[in-house]
């Protein structure tokens, strides 16, 4: 582990699903010697025709490079694939989506086997890989030395953001961002449903919705400042009392449009509960505390 990580350091990649295949092509295009392995060999053969070396076994793929990347279905498949591999002296980078607890356990497992461990949470879909302007990146956490040593190679397919030595943090950040995304998807679904039965062109409506969501997304900075200071009334433009008073309008509009309120109601209920126990001069930050169990 003392050698310098040269620009074109060899990479071994295990797992050639849609994400693994996209990663493989990016490393090949950048000129990294690449060894690949996949449970179903056909996928490795396709990449071999493009310049990769197809290993005959997972252990053989691990042996081929100092940097070993796995991108498999889940944590169980990582354990199964690496069971017979000699990980001593390797930088093991696990890009498989897992929970923070699974990532921490996998880090301890890898360290017991003599590897430096990095966990990754991929904030990209396969078409964004190898396309820097698409803005995709991977959250990394775990061994700082390993990240610094392998940063150049890891930055080839998409950007690389290191978020701490706790191996669980990459998974935590990944799931936190994706959870917020599902909240946004839920809101967008409700908005489209509201206009769906009217003579409203969804394609004309979409830019209005996208611009509004982008403008409102900036509110997370105010929420963060309040969480840090503990003063939930700081800089509030839309007090909770006013917002709760407005919720019947949203529910009545849904009713009039023949749209279910099932996506809105849980959030409105949290707003109402916070108003009962907190201050009407606050914004919506108190909802964060209500979610903590
Ligand atoms: P795919 O379903 O396309 O590929 C799954 C891969 O895991 C295949 O290589 C498959 O091998 C392998 N695999 C599954 N089970 C086993 C097992 N028991 N033993 C050995 N190998 C196994 O998934 P993706 O490539 O899309 O995703 C891989 C990881 O990347 C996942 O954790 C996913 O959450 C994450 N990710 C994916 C994104 C996406 O948009 N695709 C976005 C962000 C993260 P085989 O070919 O033999 O079936």
């Amino acid at each position: 582990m003392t050698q310098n990580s040269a620009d074109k350091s060899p990479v071994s990649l295990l797992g050639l699903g849609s994400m693994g295949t996209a990663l493989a092509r990016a490393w090949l295009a950048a000129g990294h010697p690449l060894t690949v392995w996949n449970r179903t060999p056909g996928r490795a053969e396709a990449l071999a025709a493009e310049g990769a070396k197809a290993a005959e076994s997972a252990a053989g793929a691990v042996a081929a490079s100092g940097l070993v990347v796995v991108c498999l279905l889940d944590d169980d498949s990582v354990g199964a694939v690496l069971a017979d591999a000699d990980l001593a002296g390797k930088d093991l980078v696990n890009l498989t989506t897992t929970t923070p607890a699974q990532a921490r356990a996998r880090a301890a497992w890898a360290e017991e086997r003599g590897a430096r461990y990095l966990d990754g949470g991929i904030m990209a879909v396969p078409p964004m890989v190898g396309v820097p302007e698409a803005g995709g990146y991977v959250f990394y956490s775990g061994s700082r030395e390993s990240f610094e040593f392998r940063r150049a190679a890891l930055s080839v397919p998409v950007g690389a953001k290191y978020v701490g030595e706790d191996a669980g943090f990459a998974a935590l950040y990944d799931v936190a961002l994706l959870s917020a995304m599902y909240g946004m998807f839920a809101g967008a679904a409700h908005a489209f449903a509201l206009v769906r039965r009217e003579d409203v062109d969804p394609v004309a409506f979409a830019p209005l919705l996208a611009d509004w969501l982008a403008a409102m997304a900036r509110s997370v900075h105010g929420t963060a400042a309040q969480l840090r200071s503990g003063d939930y009334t700081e800089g509030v433009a839309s007090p909770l009392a006013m917002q709760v008073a407005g919720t019947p309008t949203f529910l009545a509009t849904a009713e009039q449009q023949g749209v279910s309120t099932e996506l809105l109601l849980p959030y409105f209920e949290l707003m109402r509960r916070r108003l009962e126990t907190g201050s009407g001069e606050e914004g919506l930050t108190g909802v964060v505390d209500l979610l903590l169990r």
Side-chain angles (χ1 to χ4, degrees), residues 16-19 38-40 43 71-73 77 81 97 122 124 126:
L16 302 171
S18 38
M19 182 55 81
N38 195 60
R39 178 181 62 176
T40 306
R43 287 168 142 167
C71 187
L72 296 160
L73 186 65
S77 49
V81 164
T97 302
I122 306 173

Side-chain angles (χ1 to χ4, degrees), residues 30-290:
H32 283 260
L34 182 70
T35 302
V36 293
W37 177 87
N38 195 60
R39 178 181 62 176
T40 306
R43 287 168 142 167
E45 286 162 17
L47 284 162
E50 299 172 33
K53 183 164 179 261
E56 290 191 358
S57 64
V62 169
S65 314
L67 173 57
V68 177
V69 179
V70 293
C71 187
L72 296 160
L73 186 65
D74 55 17
D75 183 62
D76 285 347
S77 49
V78 174
V81 164
L82 295 178
D84 299 326
D86 179 4
L87 294 174
K90 304 294 180 184
D91 284 303
L92 177 62
V93 178
N94 183 9
L95 299 182
T96 308
T97 302
T98 66
T99 67
Q102 285 173 323
R104 289 174 185 133
R106 190 57 66 193
W109 177 93
E111 283 152 18
E112 277 167 22
R113 286 160 179 75
R116 296 193 297 198
Y117 182 85
L118 279 171
D119 204 84
I122 306 173
M123 304 309 297
V125 292
M128 294 165 74
V129 175
V131 184
E133 58 275 21
Y137 62 88
V138 173
F139 283 125
Y140 287 102
S141 61
S143 166
R144 185 181 298 276
E145 298 75 29
S146 183
F147 179 75
E148 293 303 336
F149 189 67
R150 299 297 179 182
R151 184 200 288 258
L154 294 177
S155 300
V156 165
V158 286
K161 291 186 202 282
Y162 182 75
V163 291
E165 297 198 52
D166 182 327
F169 272 23
L172 182 63
Y173 279 46
D174 182 355
V175 171
L177 264 57
L178 293 178
S179 299
M181 176 192 77
Y182 280 116
M184 181 188 75
F185 287 165
H190 186 84
F192 277 120
L194 285 178
V195 300
R196 189 74 176 136
R197 290 211 181 87
E198 308 291 347
D199 185 19
V200 173
D201 177 2
V203 174
F205 182 72
L208 302 172
L209 181 56
D211 288 352
W212 180 246
L213 290 174
M216 288 299 100
R218 289 195 286 276
S219 72
V220 300
H221 300 294
T223 305
Q226 291 182 349
L227 287 170
R228 181 187 271 176
S229 74
D231 177 4
Y232 293 178
T233 65
E234 183 183 304
V236 168
S238 305
L240 183 61
M242 178 278 285
Q243 296 205 52
V244 170
T247 56
T249 302
F250 291 82
L251 300 177
T253 302
E255 176 76 19
Q256 288 160 22
Q257 295 303 115
V259 170
S260 165
T261 55
E262 64 197 301
L263 288 173
L264 282 186
L265 277 177
Y267 193 71
F268 284 175
E269 173 61 14
L270 286 163
M271 288 165 61
R272 190 192 60 72
R273 276 170 52 203
R274 179 64 191 179
L275 184 59
E276 275 178 8
T277 58
S279 154
E281 300 305 310
E282 294 178 359
L284 297 168
T285 301
V287 168
V288 177
D289 292 343
L290 283 180

